[in-house]
Amino acid sequence: MEPEEYRQRGKEMVDYICQYLSNVRERRVTPDVQPGYMRAQLPDSAPMDPDSWDNIFGDIEKIIMPGVVHWQSPHMHAYFPALTSWPSLLGDMLADAINCLGFTWASSPACTELEMNVMDWLAKMLGLPDKFLHHHPGSVGGGVLQSTVSESTLVALLAARKNKILELKVSEPDTDESSLNSRLVAYASDQAHSSVEKAGLISLVKIKFLPVDENFSLRGETLKKAIAEDRKKGLVPVFVCATLGTTGVCAFDNLSELGPVCDAEGLWLHVDAAYAGTAFVCPEFRLFLDGIEYADSFTFNPSKWMMVHFDCTGFWVKDKYKLHQTFSVNPVYLRHANSGAAIDFMHWQIPLSRRFRSLKLWFVLRSFGVKKLQAHVRQGTETAKFFESLVKSDPLFEIPAKRHLGLVVFRLKGPNWLTEKLLKELSSSGRLFLIPATIHDKFIIRFTVTSQFTTREDILQDWSIIQHTAAQIISQNYGLHCINSGDGAGIPTTIVQPTSDGINNVPQLYLDGGKYKIPPRKTVVQPKKLSVSPSKCVISQQVKGQEDPLDDCFPEDVQNVTKHKITSFLFSYLSVQGKKKTARSLSCTSVPVTGNLEQRNPKAAATDKKEPHANARVLSRLPEDMMMFKKGAFKKLIKFYSVPSFPECSFQCGLQLPCCPLQALV
C-alpha cells in the first residue's frame, strides 16, 4: 500500500468506524456463534500473494463482526465499562504511526515527559496525595502508565516483597532469600479480584483472603487480628490490597481503618480502584478515599470509565526507588547521557518496551476537560439510579445489595433457579448482555451502565425486555393471582399452585397500555396467602414436582432424586475426585455442612424415599459429584469472578437439605 492509497483507505476506515460507533445500538450485543465458527471461513495458511484491500475490508463485516461482542453498545451491561472516545482513537492513531518504544528517556523524550505530566494531572484530578506527584517538592514518588490493574498489583506486590526481604536480610544476613520469601504473607478481602491471587501465584507470596462485614467491606480489626495470628505462626506480613469498588457489588474496603494498621505494622498498602477510580474526579465520591494518605501505591483504569480505550492503567507509588531496587537492570546498551538524572520507565515495570499510551490520555483530558468528565461520571451514576428505581417499583424483583456508582445488582424473588433462568433467557436473546454473581446464597444479576451512549430510553427498553422475560418465566412455571391495584392493572401478588395440566398450558402475560396482564382464568388461591398490597409478591406454593424451590443442591444420600447436569451456559464445574481442589478469584473460608440425611432428619428422608422425584425441575442443581463434600474434603470453598462471597451453608428447605453455593463461572 502506497501513501496515497493509505490516505484513501484511511478515510474509508474512519468513515466505517464512525458509522459503527454511531449505530452500534442497532447491533445484537452478543454474537450468535459457536467456538470454531471462524475456522471454515479462513484458509489453512496465509496467502502467498497479496490480497486486495477491497477483499480485506469486506471481510470485516463478513468474518469479524459476526463474532464481536459490542462493548460500546448502550445495551452492554456486563462486567465493567471498557469505553473509548473519538479523541482517544485519534491519540492512538498518532501513537501507532510514531510507534516509539519509550523504555528510557533517551529512547523518546516526549514519550516519557508527556507521561510524567499527564500522570500528575490525573493524580490532582482524583485528589491523590502530593507524594504521588512527579513534580512536587520533596516527593520521591510519581505515576506511570501500565497495561492493566492486574499488572500494577503484581508490580506493587513484587516491590513490597523485595523491600521486606531486604529488611529481613539486615537481621538475618545468612538466610537465603527464597527461605525468607516462604515466610511472607499478604492480605486482601474475600471480595478482591482474581488478579490478587494470580499475583500471589507469580510472586510465591501466600495470600490470605479475609472476611468482610455486612457491607462487603474489609475492616481494620479483621486485618489486625489476621496479622497477629500470622506473626504467632512465624509468618511475616508484608502487603495489603484494599479494593475500592469490588467486582461483585462495587463495595469499598475501609481505607481509614486499614491504613493505620498497615502503617503501624509496616505493611505495604496497595489500593485497587480499577473501576471506581474514575469516579474520584467528582469530589462527592471522594469519601471512599478517606485514608488514602497511608497508601504506598494506587491504581485505576482510565480504560474503563474515563473513555480512554484499552490499554491504559494509571499506577502511582510514593517511593519510586522501591520500584528501582526491584526491577532495575542496567546493561550498557540501555545507558544514556542522562541516566539517573531523567526518569527511565523501564525501571517501573516488568517489560522493557512500552507504548506511547500517554498521547490518547492527553487527547482525552484536553478534549473533555475535568468538568465534562465529571458530568460523564454523574450521568452514568444517575442512569444507574434510574434503573434501580425501575427494579424497586416491580414487586417481583429485589435488590439484595446497595447500589454504588453505576452498578446495580438484582434478582427475581424466590428460588435461585428463577433468576438463573431469567439470565439465561436474556443472554440467549443477544439483545442485552448481563453476567451473574452470588451474594451469600442468592444468585443475582449484575447490571452496569457501561456506555456513554446509554440513554433513559435505552434503559427503559432493557427493563421492558427484563420484565417481559421474567413474566414469561413465572407464568410458565407458576400460576399468577392478580388483584386490582386501583388503576385497572393486574398486580401479581401471590404465586399459587397450578394444576398439573396448567404447568404446560399456562397462558402468557401480555402488555396492555404498558402494564403486564394475564387473561382471566381459574386459579387456586391459598387461604390467607393473598395480599392486597401491590408492593408484595410472594411464592406461596411450589410447582408440582418441585418439592424444594429454595434448594440449589442435594446430597448423594437421596437416591431417587434425578441428578441434573446444568445445561446453562452460565456454569461449568469442577469435579471432586477425593482430592482437594480450588478455583477462585473471590475467596471464601466457609466449610460445607456434611452428614447423612437420615441422621439429621429421619422423617424427611423416609418421606423422600417413598416419593420419587423423577419429574423434579430444579434448574440450578449441580452434578452429582459436586453436590456434597465429605468431611475434610475442602478447607475452602471455591471463589469465582464477580461473586462477593459465599455464606456458611445452612438449612433452608422443608427437607432440611444443606444448600451448597459451589458454582463456577464460565
Side-chain angles (χ1 to χ4, degrees):
M1 183 179 290
E2 297 300 322
E4 284 307 312
E5 184 183 3
Y6 172 76
R7 189 190 303 273
Q8 174 192 343
R9 300 304 187 178
K11 290 177 180 178
E12 291 174 359
M13 183 61 74
V14 168
D15 288 343
Y16 176 81
I17 291 170
C18 287
Q19 186 274 336
Y20 166 71
L21 289 176
S22 298
N23 299 290
V24 69
R25 64 167 26 90
E26 299 171 9
R27 294 179 182 259
R28 177 188 171 109
V29 183
T30 54
D32 185 18
V33 296
Q34 296 300 318
Y37 85 97
M38 193 180 289
R39 179 64 177 163
Q41 301 182 61
L42 296 176
D44 291 336
S45 56
M48 295 298 294
D49 298 313
D51 202 347
S52 72
W53 179 257
D54 288 332
N55 288 340
I56 297 170
F57 191 79
D59 282 344
I60 295 174
E61 283 293 332
K62 180 181 177 183
I63 298 176
I64 303 302
M65 286 300 176
V68 168
V69 173
H70 299 288
W71 284 69
Q72 308 308 307
S73 170
H75 305 295
M76 168 71 179
H77 303 296
Y79 312 112
F80 279 129
L83 300 184
T84 188
S85 62
W86 308 119
S88 181
L89 293 173
L90 291 174
D92 245 8
M93 183 185 295
L94 178 58
D96 290 344
I98 295 172
N99 199 33
C100 65
L101 304 179
F103 41 79
T104 64
W105 179 89
S107 68
S108 189
C111 181
T112 297
E113 298 214 3
L114 181 62
E115 187 161 331
M116 293 172 64
N117 281 278
V118 296
M119 292 305 290
D120 279 3
W121 285 9
L122 205 50
K124 292 175 183 178
M125 288 168 57
L126 302 183
L128 298 182
D130 292 340
K131 65 184 179 182
F132 288 135
L133 300 178
H134 285 285
H135 304 99
H136 189 272
S139 172
V140 293
V144 61
L145 289 173
Q146 305 278 11
S147 61
T148 63
V149 163
S150 301
E151 184 178 358
S152 298
T153 299
L154 175 58
V155 167
L157 179 55
L158 291 173
R161 180 188 71 169
K162 181 66 174 181
N163 191 63
K164 184 61 68 174
I165 288 175
L166 291 176
E167 289 179 7
L168 293 173
K169 289 289 282 185
V170 174
S171 58
E172 303 177 48
D174 298 327
T175 306
D176 185 78
E177 288 193 8
S178 61
S179 177
L180 295 174
N181 193 100
S182 67
R183 289 156 50 189
L184 302 181
V185 60
Y187 307 93
S189 85
D190 60 15
Q191 311 302 298
H193 191 263
S194 59
S195 59
V196 180
E197 183 184 17
K198 184 174 286 188
L201 294 174
I202 295 170
S203 65
L204 301 180
V205 173
K206 290 179 282 292
I207 307 288
K208 180 172 287 188
F209 295 91
L210 305 178
V212 293
D213 66 10
E214 66 279 3
N215 295 315
F216 307 102
S217 175
L218 179 60
R219 306 299 296 273
E221 280 301 315
T222 303
L223 175 62
K224 193 173 182 179
K225 181 180 177 182
I227 292 172
E229 290 175 353
D230 287 335
R231 289 199 190 278
K232 289 179 182 179
K233 298 175 183 176
L235 297 176
V236 180
V238 63
F239 177 88
V240 173
C241 179
T243 305
L244 300 183
T246 60
T247 304
V249 296
C250 197
F252 292 80
D253 290 341
N254 196 315
L255 277 186
S256 62
E257 293 181 1
L258 300 177
V261 175
C262 291
D263 186 53
E265 297 285 350
L267 275 65
W268 182 297
L269 177 58
H270 173 68
V271 178
D272 172 357
Y275 161 65
T278 299
F280 300 146
V281 300
C282 300
E284 64 267 28
F285 295 127
R286 291 181 192 163
L287 72 160
F288 296 117
L289 278 177
D290 288 348
I292 191 62
E293 65 272 12
Y294 293 101
D296 293 275
S297 55
F298 177 91
T299 186
F300 91 105
N301 278 329
S303 60
K304 278 187 165 63
W305 206 3
M306 200 173 272
M307 298 181 288
V308 184
H309 67 270
F310 186 83
D311 58 346
C312 184
T313 295
F315 175 62
W316 289 265
V317 291
K318 74 173 185 180
D319 188 350
K320 61 187 176 185
Y321 297 110
K322 291 181 180 178
L323 294 182
H324 292 183
Q325 70 186 12
T326 306
F327 300 107
S328 288
V329 290
N330 198 24
V332 65
Y333 52 82
L334 294 177
R335 299 172 192 168
H336 55 89
N338 293 291
S339 292
I343 291 288
D344 291 331
F345 278 131
M346 68 178 182
H347 300 316
W348 294 51
Q349 62 181 31
I350 295 170
L352 171 64
S353 299
R354 52 201 331 276
R355 298 177 59 242
F356 201 167
R357 298 187 187 97
S358 57
L359 263 179
K360 59 186 175 185
L361 179 57
W362 188 49
F363 281 16
V364 167
L365 296 183
R366 293 186 63 186
S367 297
F368 286 96
V370 175
K371 289 183 179 179
K372 285 196 174 181
L373 290 173
Q374 289 173 336
H376 164 66
V377 169
R378 289 168 180 148
Q379 189 271 338
T381 303
E382 289 301 315
T383 303
K385 283 184 183 178
F386 177 59
F387 177 78
E388 179 186 34
S389 70
L390 295 174
V391 178
K392 286 181 175 179
S393 69
D394 192 317
L396 290 177
F397 290 86
E398 64 178 337
I399 296 177
K402 184 178 179 180
R403 179 201 55 79
H404 287 299
L405 303 178
L407 173 62
V408 180
V409 297
F410 69 98
R411 70 188 300 273
L412 276 168
K413 294 177 181 177
N416 282 340
W417 64 264
L418 279 175
T419 304
E420 182 189 339
K421 187 169 184 179
L422 172 62
L423 180 58
K424 179 180 179 180
E425 293 297 322
L426 292 172
S427 299
S428 63
S429 73
R431 299 171 69 186
L432 64 163
F433 189 11
L434 302 160
I435 62 170
T438 299
I439 296 180
H440 303 311
D441 57 345
K442 291 184 176 181
F443 185 93
I444 64 172
I445 298 174
R446 297 172 73 261
F447 186 103
T448 310
V449 177
T450 61
S451 174
Q452 68 268 43
F453 303 126
T454 303
T455 64
R456 288 202 168 200
E457 289 70 27
D458 294 318
I459 295 296
L460 287 170
Q461 177 181 324
D462 293 340
W463 177 236
S464 176
I465 294 170
I466 292 169
Q467 274 192 312
H468 185 68
T469 306
Q472 285 185 323
I473 290 170
I474 291 175
S475 68
Q476 288 167 1
N477 291 277
Y478 294 93
L480 287 180
H481 182 81
C482 300
I483 65 170
N484 196 298
S485 64
D487 60 358
I491 304 296
T493 58
T494 306
I495 301 177
V496 297
Q497 182 177 4
T499 63
S500 57
D501 293 335
I503 295 176
N504 297 321
N505 299 310
V506 65
Q508 300 291 311
L509 292 174
Y510 63 94
L511 277 171
D512 184 5
K515 305 287 186 180
Y516 282 106
K517 295 185 179 182
I518 189 168
R521 53 167 296 206
K522 184 177 180 180
T523 62
V524 179
V525 181
Q526 292 294 314
K528 300 182 181 180
K529 292 283 185 178
L530 180 61
S531 168
V532 296
S533 170
S535 64
K536 294 183 180 179
C537 177
V538 296
I539 297 179
S540 58
Q541 291 290 323
Q542 297 93 6
V543 177
K544 183 177 180 181
Q546 186 172 314
E547 300 297 304
D548 182 20
L550 296 180
D551 179 36
D552 280 342
C553 65
F554 44 89
E556 298 170 342
D557 306 306
V558 185
Q559 300 296 330
N560 292 326
V561 178
T562 302
K563 307 294 177 73
H564 291 274
K565 268 193 176 181
I566 295 179
T567 57
S568 169
F569 76 99
L570 298 174
F571 293 114
S572 63
Y573 69 90
L574 301 172
S575 297
V576 181
Q577 304 294 344
K579 295 183 179 180
K580 183 161 59 177
K581 294 189 178 182
T582 59
R584 53 158 305 284
S585 62
L586 295 174
S587 74
C588 171
T589 55
S590 304
V591 178
V593 177
T594 59
N596 186 278
L597 174 65
E598 296 182 11
Q599 293 174 350
R600 292 193 305 271
N601 195 338
K603 194 173 292 185
T607 303
D608 193 61
K609 289 179 179 179
K610 292 177 183 178
E611 300 180 8
H613 298 272
N615 295 322
R617 300 171 59 197
V618 183
L619 298 181
S620 57
R621 290 181 174 174
L622 296 173
E624 178 177 359
D625 56 358
M626 295 180 61
M627 292 306 97
M628 297 297 299
F629 305 106
K630 301 302 180 184
K631 282 186 177 180
F634 277 89
K635 297 296 182 185
K636 292 182 180 179
L637 290 180
I638 66 164
K639 165 179 164 183
F640 59 92
Y641 188 78
S642 86
V643 181
S645 64
F646 291 130
E648 293 291 337
C649 292
S650 58
F651 297 114
Q652 293 192 3
C653 55
L655 294 178
Q656 296 190 8
L657 301 182
C659 295
C660 172
L662 178 59
Q663 298 171 334
L665 179 66
V666 174

